[in-house]
Amino acid sequence: MTSRTRLFAPLSLEGARLSNRIVIAPMCQYSAEGGCMTDWHLAHYGQLALSGAGLLTIEATAVAPEGRITYADVGLYSDASESAFARVLDMIRRHSDMPVAVQLAHAGRKASCEVPWRGGAQLAPESPQGWRTVAPSARPLAASEAAPLALTPEGMVQIRDAFVASARRAARLGLDAIQLHGAHGYLLHQFLSPLSNRRDDDYGGSLENRMRFPLEVFDAVRETFPAGKPVTMRVSGTDWIDGGWTIEDTCVFAQALERRGCAAIHVSSGGLAPAAIPAGPNYQVPLAAKVKAAVGIPVVAVGLITDFDQAERILSEGSADLIALARALLYDPRWPWHAAAHFGEQVAAPPQYLRAAPHGARDLFVPPGD
């Protein structure tokens, strides 16, 4: 297909070929059982895989049971969780040729929580569905929460090795890409921010030291995941708090990742601690633009991007290389179809749906693989 817009121009991320610049961002469903995907994930990812987007990213997937945000998070740390993951992935592969990535994550001090529709509060370690969390330093997210255990060097090695083991499972499953979750106040972000990292060893203090553990995790995963398949990182561009992680820090971190073979940077923000975030359309795009100016690898913009022309403008102005959608795609899983019709582009659709093209856009759909 020949595109007339940036939004529908293809892009290659190492071995993963994206048919367009629309990325399905990872969105936690809090619907797993014992770390294992369920029938909900068959329905959820089945519809997203038929959306016509360029890349599907599976939700934050814990590398260890204690790395889950909630007891209902997906994991990729056991044979059972790998088998359940394979069931969903096999279904996607039967009906879609969309590349599929997984976001590997560890929640650190933001783990052991209730699911959001039951309040989302952190569960006490002694709760039947709770556990003691870990973090760079023994500083809880909120004063009312149990303090996390400060990670020892041995504990950090165990977590790094857990990322490696999950990456090995991801490779065995045939996933097309891995994204490491270094944003939203989860463990890797906790190491990066001076607000949560108060260590006095080689992993705390200076920016170089605070970046050390996330970079070690990246290096270990990049070494494990097959060459020619991309490993990317999601980052919070800023904590939105004075004295916290900044966009300038993010640019330095992104450059270090680029030197190590990172294939793309997905720029979000916040999540480390309660903060006044100026949320609104495009509110994170300036962060992505600053990172894009600092590196030569593709940059993904995300956050309250809902309008077709808005998405195209971000790309055409050079603020980012890809657009990630999350809640907008939950609301409208056919957003890429509608965007293609809006711009007079073409988009892949399963053969069962080819006759669904609306009047006036009869050439909208092409079969997968065209």
Side-chain angles (χ1 to χ4, degrees):
M1 295 183 291
T2 302
S3 64
R4 63 186 70 181
T5 60
R6 292 289 294 170
L7 190 62
F8 284 90
L11 178 72
S12 291
L13 289 179
E14 294 186 12
R17 186 183 184 279
L18 282 57
S19 61
N20 57 57
R21 307 299 180 94
I22 304 169
V23 173
I24 301 173
M27 294 173 279
C28 290
Q29 296 299 293
Y30 307 107
S31 299
E33 296 176 358
C36 297
M37 288 188 178
T38 64
D39 287 351
W40 172 259
H41 297 92
L42 288 171
H44 173 64
Y45 289 115
Q47 67 173 342
L48 291 180
L50 302 180
S51 69
L55 176 68
L56 168 60
T57 315
I58 303 296
E59 65 198 85
T61 298
V63 299
E66 63 274 13
R68 294 174 296 168
I69 305 166
T70 77
Y71 54 83
D73 280 21
V74 170
L76 191 55
Y77 49 70
S78 66
D79 290 347
S81 61
E82 182 180 343
S83 177
F85 204 118
R87 173 173 172 254
V88 173
L89 190 60
D90 288 347
M91 177 274 300
I92 293 173
R93 295 295 193 215
R94 284 197 302 274
H95 303 292
S96 172
D97 62 359
M98 187 183 298
V100 181
V102 62
Q103 185 187 67
L104 296 182
H106 192 296
R109 70 180 187 179
K110 291 183 76 173
S112 186
C113 290
E114 183 56 272
V115 297
W117 51 86
R118 294 179 184 145
Q122 189 168 70
L123 300 172
E126 60 273 17
S127 167
Q129 293 180 307
W131 57 90
R132 177 57 60 89
T133 63
V134 297
S137 305
R139 298 174 63 86
L141 179 66
S144 59
E145 296 177 353
L149 297 174
L151 280 164
T152 64
E154 294 77 16
M156 293 163 61
V157 169
Q158 290 176 359
I159 289 175
R160 183 203 64 196
D161 290 349
F163 272 95
V164 167
S166 292
R168 192 171 291 118
R169 292 181 185 277
R172 189 157 58 222
L173 287 166
L175 284 157
D176 298 292
I178 286 175
Q179 181 184 93
L180 296 178
H181 201 347
H184 299 169
Y186 299 120
L187 184 65
L188 298 185
H189 184 186
Q190 291 162 27
F191 269 92
L192 292 170
S193 177
L195 298 177
S196 48
N197 183 345
R198 300 299 181 90
R199 300 177 72 94
D200 58 6
D201 60 5
D202 289 344
Y203 293 91
S206 68
L207 175 60
E208 179 183 7
N209 283 358
R210 286 183 279 114
M211 294 193 310
R212 192 181 308 277
F213 183 64
L215 290 176
E216 287 180 354
V217 170
F218 177 86
D219 288 343
V221 170
R222 178 61 283 176
E223 183 178 353
T224 301
F225 202 54
K229 287 191 173 187
V231 177
T232 72
M233 177 78 79
R234 191 172 198 182
V235 297
S236 278
T238 176
D239 288 337
W240 300 109
I241 301 172
D242 289 343
W245 181 253
T246 69
I247 186 58
E248 291 76 20
D249 296 335
T250 301
C251 290
V252 174
F253 184 51
Q255 290 167 342
L257 287 166
E258 181 179 23
R259 290 192 295 270
R260 286 164 164 79
C262 186
I265 305 288
H266 185 149
V267 184
S268 188
S269 71
L272 187 95
I277 299 176
N282 285 13
Y283 77 107
Q284 294 178 151
V285 172
L287 301 173
K290 288 186 177 181
V291 174
K292 182 169 169 55
V295 297
I297 55 178
V299 171
V300 186
V302 69
L304 288 178
I305 301 171
T306 59
D307 180 78
F308 312 138
D309 293 308
Q310 173 195 12
E312 173 64 15
R313 191 160 48 249
I314 291 167
L315 298 177
S316 62
E317 291 177 352
S319 296
D321 301 284
L322 299 109
I323 299 296
L325 302 177
R327 296 175 196 184
L329 266 168
L330 291 183
Y331 181 73
D332 179 10
R334 297 291 180 262
W335 194 98
W337 288 15
H338 302 151
H342 174 77
F343 289 118
E345 295 279 14
Q346 291 185 308
V347 67
Q352 295 93 331
Y353 288 173
L354 293 178
R355 61 181 177 172
H359 181 73
R362 294 302 184 190
D363 296 327
L364 173 62
F365 295 141
V366 296
D370 282 20

